[in-house]
Amino acid sequence: QVQLVESGGGLVQAGGSLRLSCAASGRTLSYYFMGWFRQAPGKEREFVAAINWSGGSTYYADSVKGRFTISRDNAKNTVYLQMNSLKPEDTAVYYCAVDKTRYRGRPPTSNEYDYWGQGTQVTVSS
């Protein structure tokens, strides 16, 4: 079993930055894709970013490309999401997730992620 704990959320003004962290326990995550998703009130959960097991490949939703950066530190079993130039439409609960298929060669679909954190709130004021 894997436990994921997100942190780093908060209230920020438009144009500001936040860095989210997702710390994992229970299993090393060095072999697995990790991703970030978000869900705004009244909307469906949506993909934000993903990173492969080595950190050598990253993927982003068009809405965050150029503003957000996903990274990972396998030694710390942690994945990060650096969010710059934040907009009010980025307001949501942000979740990290892990896909337990080893060395998957492509980004998982949202249904292929096996473990999810409890989420951290990000609020961007205009």
Side-chain angles (χ1 to χ4, degrees), residues 24-111:
S25 61
R27 180 185 294 190
T28 179
L29 299 182
S30 302
Y31 316 120
Y32 312 117
F33 257 96
M34 298 187 72
W36 286 96
F37 291 76
R38 66 187 182 186
Q39 187 167 20
K43 295 187 176 181
E44 292 188 352
R45 184 177 63 198
E46 64 175 358
F47 168 77
V48 175
I51 188 166
N52 76 335
W53 60 274
S54 69
S57 295
T58 56
Y59 307 84
Y60 297 95
D62 288 343
S63 59
V64 306
K65 205 171 292 184
R67 300 188 297 122
F68 291 10
T69 302
I70 188 171
S71 61
R72 67 190 298 161
D73 185 336
N74 285 341
K76 295 183 178 179
N77 240 20
T78 300
V79 65
Y80 305 96
L81 186 68
Q82 177 67 43
M83 305 186 296
N84 298 330
S85 303
L86 283 161
K87 304 175 181 180
E89 51 263 44
D90 295 318
T91 295
V93 178
Y94 284 70
Y95 301 89
C96 68
V98 175
D99 163 34
K100 69 177 183 181
T101 299
R102 283 198 177 199
Y103 304 127
R104 189 186 293 274
R106 58 163 175 81
T109 65
S110 59
N111 290 336

